[in-house]
Every structure is written in structure tokens, then in C-alpha cells.
């Protein structure tokens, strides 16, 4: 009997596989890191073959640990680092260049040129994205322009482009299947999120030949079968970019439900239902998923310095030994003593978008201690997230009911309670915070009918911790006002000659 689902969680620094049982309990997992290549300042690359090798090794190791055979596995689900771009030769299956990673900034000039030529509105309206090197489109253009013979081969249909999901599926099916799902497609800067097809106008702007592109499929549904010996015959039936998979894993199925992943940065996504909402606050519009042809959209915003602010306390200020220690240090004082910390180390993101702003600490007195700074650092994570949520509510006209949380820093109870107090809404931390892989497993299970509909998925709230807004917390308005004053100070400083 088939009882298990295998999730591939292909991330930016490691590849991981998790095997789930039919109640979505994790049974076994394995993880391998791979090499980051930094050939020049601002460039970040991965070796696509190493991504594949580590991913398949973790899968084989996982099912070996669990003592399970491929015949007992109903489906494979894939979730992946988004936007990272691979171009390979269809005949040989070999990449013609390293994968250009989402973090890579080499296409800044192409983006600026397009902006200067007045193209940003066209790109934003069509794709829901902003003109930024982050997304795949300009990376494909760079490969075609810079790898000898690439353009000619691409025009003849000899090359294939894919994000990491496409690449893994191509490898898994021995080159039989070249697809991507709508969520990954919605991060490429060449996909029309309304017509749900590649945009000829944008392909033209970026000089990308259509024959290299994958077929776009639903996030759930069988796209092919694995041919690799150790996984032979298992249907591949769930695909989603990492943040979309996390939204799904958190079961944010209702319009207005949202999740925040507190990692190095924070990634917030809100389900906005069947219509795409173009943001007035420089948030991104993205596809949450498509199941049985039915599309769901989301708004997305990110906090650049989330858990990274805590790493800064640890590594640069050296006032804590490990990230979790921040909680006890912050708890040792009852408030920040009037201190606000703006972690604009690399500028301010949405809703401010000020690349020149820099980290700022204001409100210090003779009595300010490292504990006050630690507490202000923690609060800054929640306040930045709150402002993104507020922007999402303003764009969508939907008011948030509950925030679903995951990621490393979501384990910090003080932070989660403060988030609930500032949002004035509850914050729910599930028992299983590995929501990305779980989302891929849910999609894959739905794709082959392990669960018939989303209503049949295992209940999400069992064992979850709920942080309710504290009715005795009466500092909220002051906190927000102080935060905004501190942001203004950071911006004022950046604007001075
Ligand atoms: P990523 O996937 O981005 O590497 P993780 O989800 O693993 O991130 O979370 C790690 C981040 O969370 C680090 O930046 C770390 O500083 C922060 N972090 C981990 N535990 C805590 C904690 N208990 N309190 C606050 N921050 C934490």
C-alpha cells in the first residue's frame, strides 16, 4: 500500500528531503549543503549539477533511513529557492552556465535601462513584480548575451530555461518533462499573471526566445514520473516556490489569511483570493497557487533584516552568544527604555524604499543597556512586519485576522507575543514549523488524490501555540509612533549632505 509522500525542499544553501506519512507527520529527512560561488562582487552562482546531486542523495538517504521502497511512495512534491535561473542544452542535458542565484545583482544595469526607457509600469502591470535583478528574466538575458553561441542555440530551440523546480523535474524524468508551475513562473518577470501565459511583449523586451521556456502547469497534479532508479515510477505531482509552499503548508486558504516566515529576512504573504491586486506600496503581486485550474493570488513583502538583526547582535556587537539568547537578555528589562533601533543596514524596504537609509539607534539615555538594545532589536523585527501587513491591508482592503508564523526566529516567544500585541491580532505558531516542505507534500498529495480536497488535509491547528494580543498592553500606539519617528530620523540622516 502507498502510504508516504516525499518532499524535495531545495533551498539557497542546502538541499533537503522529508518523507511524510499519510497524516503529514515527518518520518525521516536528510539534508546536504552545497557550495556557494561568488565569482565577482555582487555575483552569486550555484552549480546546477551539484544542486541535483545533493537533492537526489538526500532523497535516497531519506527513504533508506525510513526503510521505505518507491512502491510505497504515492508522490513527490517539490519546493525550491525561487527566481534562480538555469539554462541547459536539451540534447546533452548539460547546463551552459552556472545557475544565477536570486541574490545575484549583475543585471542591475539592465534593470536601470528598462526603467529609464519607461518600462517599469509594463513589467509591473503584467507580472506583478518590480524591475529588480532578483527576478529570472534579466538573468536569462544575461546568459544569452554572455555565453558564447547561447542566443543562436536558444533561437533554434536547443536550449531550455528553468527555475530550480524545472531543472529538478527535467533531471528526475531523464529529460522527458520540461515544466514549471505557476508560482515559479510568476517570479520570472516574463509571465503574465492574468493570462497565465508567458508574455510576448516582455519576452521581446528581454530578447528571450519562447522555445526555451517550460510549459506552465498547476501547482498540484501529476506532471511526470521519476525515472531515476531509486525513485522509479513515483509520480511528481506538487510544485511550488518556497514562500508559496509555506503559505500552503500553513493552510492559508482563505482570502485575508497570511503567513510570516522569520528567517534571515522575513517573508510575508497574504492570500488575496481570485483577483491579482497591484500594490501602491511597492509590494509584489504573486500567484499563491493554481489547483485544478483555479487560481489564487497573494501579496508579498519582505523585511531585509529579520533574524539577521539578531545575528548582528551576536556577531558584531557580541552581546549574546547565540540567537536564542536574545530572548532572556531582552526579557531582563521590562521595555526598551525609550530606545528604537532601525536595522536599515542595507536601506529600507517596503513601504519606505529608501536604499540610502542606514542603521540607526535613537532614544538612548545614560541608563541604556545592552538589554534595551536587544529588546529594541527584537521589536524592530515585529514592527517592520507590522508595517508590511498594514500596507497589504491598505492595498487589498482586507483586514488580517490571524498571522501564521514559521522560521527560526518564530521560536522566540517574546517576539511572537509582541507581534500579536502590535498587530492586535492573534499569532499562530504550528507544531511543525517546517511548513515549506509540508506545503509541497500537501500539493503532491492533492495532486494524486491522497487527499481529495484541501478540506481533507490533516488539521493544522493541532498542537499549535496561539499568541493572543494582551489586553493590558497599552503601549501600542506609542511604540508605533516612536518607530515612525526613528525611521524618519534614519531617513533624515541619509538625506543630509
Ligand atoms: P534561514 O532559513 O533564513 O537561514 P532560519 O529560519 O533558519 O533562517 O532562521 C535563522 C534566523 O533566525 C537567524 O537569523 C537567527 O538569528 C534567527 N533566530 C533563530 N533563533 C532565534 C530566536 N530564538 N530568537 C530570535 N532570532 C532567532
Amino acid at each position: 500500500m502507498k502510504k508516504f509522500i516525499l518532499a524535495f525542499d531545495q533551498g539557497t544553501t542546502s538541499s533537503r528531503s522529508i518523507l511524510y506519512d499519510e497524516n503529514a507527520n515527518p518520518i525521516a529527512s536528510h539534508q546536504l549543503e552545497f557550495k556557494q560561488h561568488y565569482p565577482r562582487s555582487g555575483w552569486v552562482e550555484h552549480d546546477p549539477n551539484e544542486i541535483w546531486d545533493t537533492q537526489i542523495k538526500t532523497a535516497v538517504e531519506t527513504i533508506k533511513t525510513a526503510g521505505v521502497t518507491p512502491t510505497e511512495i504515492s508522490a513527490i512534491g517539490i519546493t525550491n529557492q525561487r527566481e534562480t535561473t538555469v539554462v541547459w542544452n536539451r540534447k546533452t542535458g548539460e547546463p551552459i552556465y552556472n545557475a544565477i542565484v536570486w541574490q545575484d545583482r549583475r543585471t542591475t544595469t539592465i534593470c536601470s535601462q528598462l526603467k529609464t526607457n519607461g518600462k517599469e509600469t509594463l513589467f509591473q502591470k503584467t507580472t506583478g513584480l518590480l524591475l529588480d535583478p532578483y527576478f529570472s528574466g534579466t538573468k536569462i538575458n544575461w546568459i544569452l548575451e554572455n555565453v558564447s553561441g547561447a542566443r543562436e542555440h536558444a533561437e533554434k530551440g536547443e536550449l531550455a530555461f528553468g527555475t530550480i523546480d524545472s531543472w529538478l523535474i527535467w533531471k528526475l524524468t531523464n529529460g522527458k518533462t520540461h515544466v514549471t508551475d505557476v508560482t515559479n513562473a510568476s517570479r520570472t518577470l516574463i509571465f503574465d499573471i492574468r493570462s497565465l501565459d508567458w508574455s510576448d511583449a516582455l519576452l521581446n523586451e528581454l530578447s528571450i526566445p519562447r522555445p526555451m521556456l517550460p510549459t506552465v502547469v498547476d501547482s498540484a497534479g501529476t506532471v511526470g514520473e521519476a525515472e531515476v532508479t531509486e525513485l522509479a515510477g513515483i509520480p511528481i505531482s506538487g510544485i511550488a516556490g518556497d514562500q508559496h509552499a509555506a503559505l500552503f503548508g500553513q493552510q492559508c486558504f482563505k482570502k485575508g489569511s497570511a503567513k510570516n516566515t522569520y528567517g534571515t529576512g522575513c517573508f510575508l504573504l497574504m492570500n488575496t483570493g481570485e483577483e491579482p491586486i497591484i500594490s501602491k506600496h511597492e509590494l509584489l503581486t504573486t500567484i499563491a497557487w493554481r489547483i485544478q485550474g483555479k487560481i489564487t493570488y497573494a501579496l508579498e513583502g519582505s523585511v531585509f533584516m529579520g533574524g539577521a538583526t539578531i545575528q548582528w547582535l551576536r556577531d558584531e556587537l557580541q552581546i549574546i552568544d547565540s540567537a536564542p539568547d536574545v530572548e532572556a537578555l531582552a526579557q531582563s528589562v521590562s521595555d526598551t527604555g525609550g530606545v528604537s533601533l532601525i536595522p536599515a543596514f542595507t536601506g529600507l524596504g517596503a513601504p519606505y524604499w529608501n536604499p540610502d537609509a542606514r542603521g540607526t539607534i535613537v532614544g538612548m539615555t545614560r541608563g541604556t543597556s545592552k538589554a534595551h538594545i536587544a529588546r529594541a532589536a527584537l521589536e524592530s523585527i515585529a514592527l517592520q512586519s507590522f508595517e508590511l501587513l498594514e500596507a497589504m491591508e491598505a492595498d487589498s482592503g482586507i483586514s488580517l485576522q490571524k498571522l501564521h508564523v514559521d522560521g527560526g526566529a518564530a521560536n522566540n516567544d517574546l517576539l511572537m507575543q509582541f507581534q500579536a500585541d502590535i498587530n492586535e491580532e492573534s499569532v499562530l505558531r504550528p507544531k511543525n514549523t517546517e511548513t515549506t516542505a509540508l506545503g509541497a507534500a500537501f500539493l503532491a498529495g492533492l495532486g494524486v488524490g491522497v487527499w481529495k480536497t484541501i478540506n481533507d488535509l490533516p488539521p493544522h491547528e493541532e498542537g499549535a501555540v496561539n499568541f493572543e494580543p494582551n489586553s493590558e498592553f497599552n503601549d501600542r500606539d506609542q511604540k508605533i509612533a516612536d518607530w515612525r519617528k526613528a525611521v524618519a530620523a534614519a531617513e533624515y540622516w541619509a538625506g543630509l549632505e
Side-chain angles (χ1 to χ4, degrees):
M1 207 176 96
K2 296 190 194 245
K3 296 190 277 224
F4 301 97
I5 297 173
L6 182 61
F8 286 11
D9 181 1
Q10 205 303 307
T12 309
T13 56
S14 71
S15 300
R16 202 160 55 126
S17 296
I18 304 186
L19 189 74
Y20 291 94
D21 68 14
E22 62 209 340
N23 295 316
N25 295 310
I27 301 297
S29 72
H30 197 70
Q31 182 164 6
L32 285 173
E33 292 199 357
F34 54 85
K35 193 167 156 50
Q36 307 290 313
H37 300 264
Y38 306 106
R40 289 192 202 174
S41 158
W43 293 26
V44 189
E45 298 179 0
H46 293 156
D47 173 354
N49 285 319
E50 196 187 356
I51 288 189
W52 164 248
D53 287 342
T54 50
Q55 188 61 60
I56 195 69
K57 270 189 195 133
T58 63
V60 171
E61 203 54 41
T62 299
I63 62 174
K64 211 164 98 190
T65 308
V68 163
T69 63
T71 52
E72 294 173 285
I73 301 176
S74 325
I76 294 173
I78 297 178
T79 180
N80 55 286
Q81 52 166 320
R82 303 175 299 171
E83 297 107 9
T84 297
T85 299
V86 190
V87 176
W88 66 93
N89 181 304
R90 290 185 189 275
K91 247 197 227 116
T92 64
E94 277 304 308
I96 64 161
Y97 191 79
N98 266 346
I100 303 186
V101 179
W102 57 273
Q103 298 152 324
D104 190 291
R105 306 302 292 173
R106 80 184 65 185
T107 58
T108 304
T109 323
I110 309 178
C111 292
S112 323
Q113 273 165 3
L114 288 166
K115 271 188 213 165
T116 311
N117 297 341
K119 301 293 181 186
E120 183 139 59
T121 312
L122 172 68
F123 276 93
Q124 196 196 11
K125 274 204 176 134
T126 314
T127 67
L129 307 174
L130 300 170
L131 271 175
D132 190 278
Y134 206 90
F135 307 108
S136 319
T138 57
K139 299 182 198 290
I140 307 172
N141 173 286
W142 189 93
I143 293 176
L144 295 179
E145 293 301 317
N146 290 279
V147 177
S148 160
R151 177 162 299 287
E152 193 190 322
H153 291 299
E155 268 155 15
K156 284 198 212 141
E158 292 165 5
L159 299 184
F161 151 74
T163 37
I164 296 296
D165 55 316
S166 299
W167 168 244
L168 292 177
I169 294 167
W170 168 278
K171 294 295 284 182
L172 264 174
T173 60
N174 273 337
K176 291 213 167 61
T177 308
H178 184 212
V179 296
T180 189
D181 91 299
V182 282
T183 70
N184 278 292
S186 79
R187 315 298 298 183
T188 56
L189 208 59
I190 49 175
F191 189 68
D192 184 328
I193 58 170
R194 286 183 188 76
S195 72
L196 304 171
D197 188 11
W198 304 111
S199 156
D200 286 319
L202 301 185
L203 290 175
N204 190 38
E205 289 296 338
L206 291 169
S207 309
I208 298 172
R210 213 178 226 271
M212 27 175 351
L213 304 178
T215 305
V216 182
V217 297
D218 277 8
S219 316
T222 301
V223 297
E225 278 185 3
E227 294 204 356
V228 179
T229 318
E230 296 90 339
L231 306 176
I234 309 176
I236 304 156
S237 60
I239 317 170
D242 50 12
Q243 301 307 325
H244 315 251
L247 190 71
F248 201 81
Q250 289 273 19
Q251 302 195 2
C252 291
F253 301 141
K254 285 208 186 98
K255 190 170 160 176
S257 54
K259 71 94 195 170
N260 193 8
T261 301
Y262 297 80
T264 312
C266 301
F267 280 95
L268 263 148
L269 270 81
M270 179 193 267
N271 177 333
T272 59
E274 292 166 29
E275 293 296 327
I277 293 166
I278 297 296
S279 173
K280 295 196 174 69
H281 301 87
E282 308 222 30
L283 300 170
L284 306 176
T285 309
T286 199
I287 294 176
W289 47 74
R290 188 175 69 187
I291 298 176
Q292 292 181 336
K294 190 169 171 281
I295 192 95
T296 301
Y297 292 94
L299 275 171
E300 172 172 332
S302 57
V303 169
F304 303 152
M305 294 293 295
T309 311
I310 308 306
Q311 289 169 0
W312 175 74
L313 298 181
R314 183 193 63 195
D315 302 338
E316 311 308 328
L317 292 197
Q318 302 186 353
I319 59 174
I320 46 173
D321 290 330
S322 74
D325 290 350
V326 73
E327 189 162 357
L329 180 59
Q331 283 281 22
S332 71
V333 286
S334 58
D335 57 35
T336 67
V339 172
S340 293
L341 185 153
I342 307 294
F345 300 111
T346 57
L348 284 165
Y352 301 102
W353 286 102
N354 185 340
D356 301 321
R358 286 294 172 270
T360 305
I361 301 179
V362 295
M364 288 185 286
T365 63
R366 180 73 176 74
T368 297
S369 72
K370 60 183 179 182
H372 295 116
I373 308 263
R375 197 161 176 125
L378 262 188
E379 290 188 356
S380 77
I381 301 174
L383 284 156
Q384 293 175 91
S385 301
F386 164 73
E387 291 206 301
L388 285 177
L389 283 168
E390 218 184 24
M392 285 179 182
E393 290 184 330
D395 281 333
S396 65
I398 307 168
S399 58
L400 174 83
Q401 310 263 300
K402 189 186 276 180
L403 184 65
H404 298 260
V405 300
D406 49 53
N411 291 313
N412 189 309
D413 289 354
L414 183 64
L415 172 60
M416 293 302 105
Q417 184 59 51
F418 185 72
Q419 187 76 73
D421 292 341
I422 286 293
N423 293 357
E424 288 187 312
E425 292 297 347
S426 46
V427 164
L428 193 78
R429 182 175 66 206
K431 189 169 94 188
N432 178 359
T433 52
E434 297 293 355
T435 55
T436 309
L438 185 63
F442 283 164
L443 287 166
L446 285 165
V448 292
V450 170
W451 301 289
K452 295 276 174 280
T453 72
I454 53 171
N455 301 322
D456 304 319
L457 293 172
H460 175 61
E461 308 210 348
E462 225 163 69
V465 184
N466 200 11
F467 297 87
E468 288 297 335
N470 180 355
S471 56
E472 282 161 34
F473 180 76
N474 39 32
D475 279 351
R476 176 179 183 267
D477 295 346
Q478 188 63 47
K479 280 278 171 209
I480 295 170
D482 284 352
W483 168 259
R484 291 193 172 142
K485 259 164 51 186
V487 168
E491 292 202 276
Y492 175 72
W493 179 85
L496 293 175
E497 287 298 311

